[in-house]
Amino acid sequence: MSLLIAGGAAAGIIYSGAYNVAATSKHWPVTRWALSQTVHKSIEQQASGIEAPELGSEDQLLAGAANFEAMCSECHAPPGRRQSVAARGMYPRPPELTHAAEEKSAGEIFWVIKHGIKASGMPAWGGSHSDEDMWAMTAFVEKLPDMSAAEYDRLLARAEGSGVGHHSGGGGTGHDGGRQTHELDATTGSSKGHDNAHGHGSRDGDHASAEDRVDSAAGQEDGHSH
C-alpha cells in the first residue's frame, strides 16, 4: 500500500509539472545528496576492475594537454582560466578537476572520460577516441593539482611545436563554424582532426575568482563529478 501511495505521489509531481527543471533552480537538498552519492558510488563500482598502465611520460602529458585543451577546457577550466560563460550557466556546474585528481583513482578518472555521466553534461569520449587518448588525458588530469598556469601554457606550446593542439598551425575551420583542432594519439604520435565549436575559458590571472571556486565546488556536490 505504501508503495502505491509513493508511486501515486511521484506520478502527481511528474504530471503536474510542479518540479522545476530549470538550470536556475537548485535541487532539493535530498535530491542533491542522492545524486551525489549515486554518482560517486557508481563510479567506484564500475571502475573497480580497471588497472591503469604506467602514466606520466612526456608524450602522454603532451597528448593529454592538447586533447584536454580541445575537448575539456571549456567546461573544466585549466590552470589560470575561468570557466566559459556556457559552463557557468550549467547546473550542476562542471567541477574543478583538481578535486577529481585528488579524490579519484586513475581508473576512475579514465572510466568517467570514457563513459561520461548521465544527465550531467559530461560526454562519453570512448565512442570517438582510443583508450590511449583517454589514458593520456587521465595522466594529465592527475598532474592538475600541482600545475601552474605557466606550466600548462608550456605544455600546450610544446604540443603546438609537435604539430598538435588547439593553436597548432594546421587548425582550420570546421563545417559548423568552430575551429578545427588536432589531437595527438598518445601511442602513435599521429594527429587527427577535432572540431571545436565553442570558445575556451577566459584568462583571469593565475587563479579563478573565489566565486567561481565556490560555485565549482557546489557543482561537484550536485553529482557532476568528472
Side-chain angles (χ1 to χ4, degrees):
M1 184 65 179
S2 59
L3 290 177
L4 289 176
I5 294 175
I13 293 174
I14 292 171
Y15 286 101
S16 69
Y19 185 81
N20 189 352
V21 299
T24 52
S25 175
K26 307 300 183 184
H27 285 309
W28 296 330
V30 65
T31 305
R32 184 173 62 221
W33 175 86
L35 289 173
S36 177
Q37 291 300 308
T38 299
V39 168
H40 289 302
K41 296 302 181 183
S42 177
I43 292 172
E44 290 177 4
Q45 175 63 30
Q46 300 301 321
S48 60
I50 297 176
E51 294 187 11
E54 186 174 350
L55 300 176
S57 70
E58 181 176 357
D59 287 345
Q60 271 190 331
L61 292 177
L62 289 179
N67 291 345
F68 180 91
E69 173 73 9
M71 299 154 60
C72 312
S73 61
E74 182 178 357
C75 287
H76 304 289
R81 297 189 191 178
R82 296 180 64 193
Q83 288 177 314
S84 68
V85 173
R88 295 199 296 272
M90 293 174 66
Y91 186 79
R93 188 164 171 175
E96 291 180 357
L97 290 188
T98 51
H99 296 292
E102 293 168 343
E103 299 170 4
K104 301 295 183 188
S105 68
E108 289 169 347
I109 296 170
F110 170 86
W111 186 90
V112 171
I113 296 172
K114 182 172 183 175
H115 297 284
I117 298 178
K118 293 176 180 177
S120 72
M122 174 64 197
W125 293 111
S128 56
H129 295 76
S130 69
D131 282 2
E132 288 79 13
D133 287 330
M134 287 174 284
W135 280 122
M137 283 192 283
T138 300
F140 171 81
V141 169
E142 286 196 318
K143 298 292 185 181
L144 277 176
D146 300 317
M147 187 178 297
S148 68
E151 289 170 331
Y152 180 71
D153 288 341
R154 282 196 293 269
L155 278 176
L156 289 184
R158 286 159 58 193
E160 179 182 358
S162 300
V164 297
H166 179 70
H167 299 292
S168 65
T173 301
H175 68 277
D176 55 1
R179 178 167 180 172
Q180 188 179 55
T181 64
H182 293 272
E183 296 159 25
L184 176 66
D185 187 290
T187 300
T188 65
S190 60
S191 61
K192 51 193 175 182
H194 181 83
D195 288 335
N196 188 4
H198 305 287
H200 295 297
S202 60
R203 291 287 182 187
D204 190 32
D206 289 336
H207 301 282
S209 68
E211 179 183 357
D212 288 331
R213 290 195 295 271
V214 171
D215 289 346
S216 182
Q220 188 179 42
E221 292 176 359
D222 292 329
H224 193 157
S225 303
H226 52 273

